Amino acid sequence: MNQYLRNLSSTHQVAALFFIVFGLLFVVSTAVFLLSLRERRNPVHDEIWQRELRHFRSLLRTTWVMVIVFWVGWALGEKVATLLFAFISFFALREFITLSPTRRGDHRSLILAFFFVLPIQFWLVATAHFDLFTVFIPVYVFLAIPVVSALADDPSHFLERNAKLQWGIMVCVYGMSHVPALLLLSFPGYQGKNAFLIFYLVFVVQTCMLVQHLVSRRKTMPVEGAPPPEPPKGWLAQARYRLFMQPPFAPNVSRSFNWTSWALGMAIASVVGALLSFITPFKYGQALAMSLIACVAGSMGHLVMKALKRDRGIPNWGRRGVGVTGANGLLDRVDALCFAAPVFFHAVRWYFDV
């Protein structure tokens, strides 16, 4: 089977990848639908289980949308793929700005960000101006935004307002623009297969986040005011306590982040990335290192965005199924990717000199 896939053309290989992904999503979606139907007719689980099922269905719908976006982008060519990611970036930035209060003096800067910076950045990606698109936002835009704000004659909270907008552009536009940029990298003997790189990056990062989420949910957080739990007895119970019941490292930012779940997410996702080396231009060890780099950047970025939500008083993962802004939680779905993509892109480009 492996030899048969290797003998296919690059176009047929990518098509086979999407066929497999759509098939797996169809099987999982069918199983979830039947399970939901059974629970609706004859509920046998508690409310917590029902809430988790609704959350999983929401994640499944998001996965369908993202896979379809990737498929349409690949089917219609690199330019259309870049345009689709530009729309994702637009809605993510819109969500970010919605979370942050603005003043009348910010209107010119917002117009600059949405209707000039974002299109120019993705145009630079589509035309493969790598040297310019990597410095356009960190250098030129970061200098232009405060100038435009100063011309608006509104010095109130000037530094805070500009830092907020610059950070939003950096994450939602600069970070996301590196995903379609992977399509334009040229590896010897890898022509026409760059869609595998995007799949590899997304799959590895999402695997890392999923493992961290599942492991952290195994631990039990003490109820406020309740007596402390008794220490576990026996080596097996102690090992389970150390693995799954560690207290959060930064509880004021995230009540689910701890070093155990983070390390397990890094390890499992890195191994998965190494096993997927056959769809990339990397060797086994290179794939392991690149997946580790992407997972570290993505997981830390996800933690940073959680801190931002806490600062703005936005509900955390506890209030599931509630879209807090116009894009219905899009930024929550792609925040790790926005941090992982530029680090992964520049690591690959630097190491392989492409």
Side-chain angles (χ1 to χ4, degrees):
M1 184 64 179
N2 187 37
Q3 188 61 36
Y4 170 76
L5 292 175
R6 289 181 179 275
N7 290 333
L8 295 175
S9 65
S10 59
T11 302
H12 290 156
Q13 287 178 349
V14 177
L17 170 66
F18 279 109
F19 181 79
I20 294 172
V21 171
F22 278 119
L24 291 175
L25 283 176
F26 177 78
V27 172
V28 174
S29 300
T30 302
V32 171
F33 173 76
L34 295 176
L35 186 60
S36 302
L37 193 62
R38 190 191 69 175
E39 286 294 320
R40 202 171 300 168
R41 292 180 176 179
N42 184 25
V44 295
H45 295 89
D46 57 13
E47 180 60 28
I48 296 178
W49 192 91
Q50 299 281 354
R51 190 165 61 245
E52 289 297 322
L53 180 61
R54 290 194 295 268
H55 176 55
F56 184 77
R57 290 170 59 187
S58 175
L59 290 178
L60 197 59
R61 287 194 296 268
T62 303
T63 304
W64 269 107
V65 172
M66 296 302 293
V67 171
I68 291 174
V69 168
F70 291 153
W71 175 70
V72 171
W74 168 77
L76 298 181
E78 297 172 353
K79 297 294 189 295
V80 176
T82 304
L83 182 63
L84 288 175
F85 279 104
F87 278 111
I88 295 174
S89 176
F90 178 90
F91 287 113
L93 181 60
R94 172 186 164 213
E95 183 167 272
F96 184 94
I97 297 301
T98 305
L99 301 182
S100 306
T102 58
R103 294 172 57 87
R104 185 179 183 86
D106 296 324
H107 291 179
R108 295 177 182 177
S109 299
L110 292 174
I111 292 174
L112 178 67
F114 280 97
F115 301 108
F116 291 93
V117 174
L118 192 151
I120 291 175
Q121 175 71 6
F122 280 89
W123 175 79
L124 292 174
V125 172
T127 54
H129 287 85
F130 289 140
D131 293 335
L132 184 55
F133 104 87
T134 56
V135 299
F136 173 64
I137 287 177
V139 178
Y140 300 102
V141 173
F142 269 38
L143 295 176
I145 290 294
V147 171
V148 174
S149 294
L151 293 174
D153 194 28
D154 185 2
S156 178
H157 302 286
F158 184 84
L159 181 60
E160 178 185 351
R161 287 160 40 214
N162 282 276
K164 170 203 66 181
L165 182 56
Q166 289 172 331
W167 182 244
I169 294 173
M170 192 69 181
V171 173
C172 303
V173 181
Y174 186 79
M176 183 59 69
S177 68
H178 284 76
V179 180
L182 292 171
L183 294 172
L184 304 176
L185 293 179
S186 179
F187 295 90
Y190 199 70
Q191 287 76 13
K193 300 181 182 180
N194 288 48
F196 283 127
L197 275 181
I198 294 182
F199 172 80
Y200 175 84
L201 173 63
V202 174
F203 188 81
V204 166
V205 171
Q206 293 305 317
T207 298
C208 174
M209 302 310 302
L210 179 62
V211 171
Q212 290 185 32
H213 178 70
L214 294 177
V215 173
S216 63
R217 293 192 67 80
R218 290 297 304 271
K219 63 183 177 60
T220 55
M221 294 297 299
V223 180
E224 190 172 335
E230 296 183 1
K233 299 178 181 179
W235 68 270
L236 186 60
Q238 291 181 0
R240 180 178 179 273
Y241 179 83
R242 290 180 179 276
L243 283 176
F244 298 115
M245 298 185 181
Q246 287 285 328
F249 180 77
N252 292 326
V253 173
S254 172
R255 293 182 63 82
S256 62
F257 179 85
N258 61 78
W259 291 120
T260 301
S261 62
W262 182 81
L264 287 174
M266 293 295 107
I268 293 176
S270 297
V271 172
V272 169
L275 295 177
L276 290 175
S277 61
F278 66 93
I279 68 170
T280 71
F282 315 141
K283 297 178 181 178
Y284 184 87
Q286 294 169 341
L288 181 70
M290 291 301 170
S291 58
L292 179 61
I293 291 172
C295 290
V296 170
S299 60
M300 291 295 104
H302 184 68
L303 183 66
V304 168
M305 299 306 287
K306 277 193 172 184
L308 177 63
K309 289 193 293 182
R310 286 297 183 96
D311 175 62
R312 296 302 177 186
I314 303 301
N316 60 10
W317 289 110
R319 294 183 59 183
R320 311 215 193 290
V322 180
V324 294
T325 60
N328 197 27
L330 174 65
L331 190 55
D332 289 333
R333 306 290 188 248
V334 301
D335 54 3
L337 185 62
C338 289
F339 278 78
V343 177
F344 179 80
F345 175 87
H346 291 291
V348 170
R349 194 171 177 227
W350 168 77
Y351 184 82
F352 292 95
D353 194 23
V354 294

